[in-house]
Amino acid sequence: MEPPNEIVQLLAEIRDNQHRQIETYDAVTKRSLDMQQRAVERQEQAMKVYLRSLVVGGVLVVGIVVLIVYLLQLLG
């Protein structure tokens, strides 16, 4: 006994819709992973800039302290 054409057609539509849903899910997942990867790269770049700024700021502070000590010795 063969199923009616309506049932076969309905099952085919369900299958096709599931395939489209999976393709959409794959595309969204890929886009999400790409965005996360870019976010991680930006965070790494920001961290490098932060560390450089911290080093430059530290060097400036040390330089200013040395200059103040030197000037105090000249006056004292």
Side-chain angles (χ1 to χ4, degrees):
M1 181 165 136
E2 190 173 305
N5 281 342
E6 293 173 350
I7 294 176
V8 171
Q9 183 180 2
L10 181 60
L11 290 173
E13 288 177 18
I14 291 171
R15 180 198 63 213
D16 294 343
N17 284 334
Q18 286 179 336
H19 282 293
R20 282 193 292 273
Q21 185 178 16
I22 290 170
E23 289 171 359
T24 302
Y25 176 78
D26 287 343
V28 168
T29 302
K30 182 183 181 313
R31 184 168 182 252
S32 175
L33 290 174
D34 290 342
M35 291 173 66
Q36 288 176 6
Q37 182 61 35
R38 285 196 308 256
V40 167
E41 290 170 359
R42 287 181 182 156
Q43 287 176 344
E44 289 173 348
Q45 290 174 349
M47 188 56 128
K48 288 178 185 177
V49 169
Y50 172 74
L51 289 175
R52 287 181 190 146
S53 300
L54 193 61
V55 168
V56 168
V59 168
L60 286 175
V61 168
V62 168
I64 291 171
V65 168
V66 168
L67 180 63
I68 290 173
V69 168
Y70 174 73
L71 291 175
L72 287 175
Q73 285 179 351
L74 285 178
L75 295 174

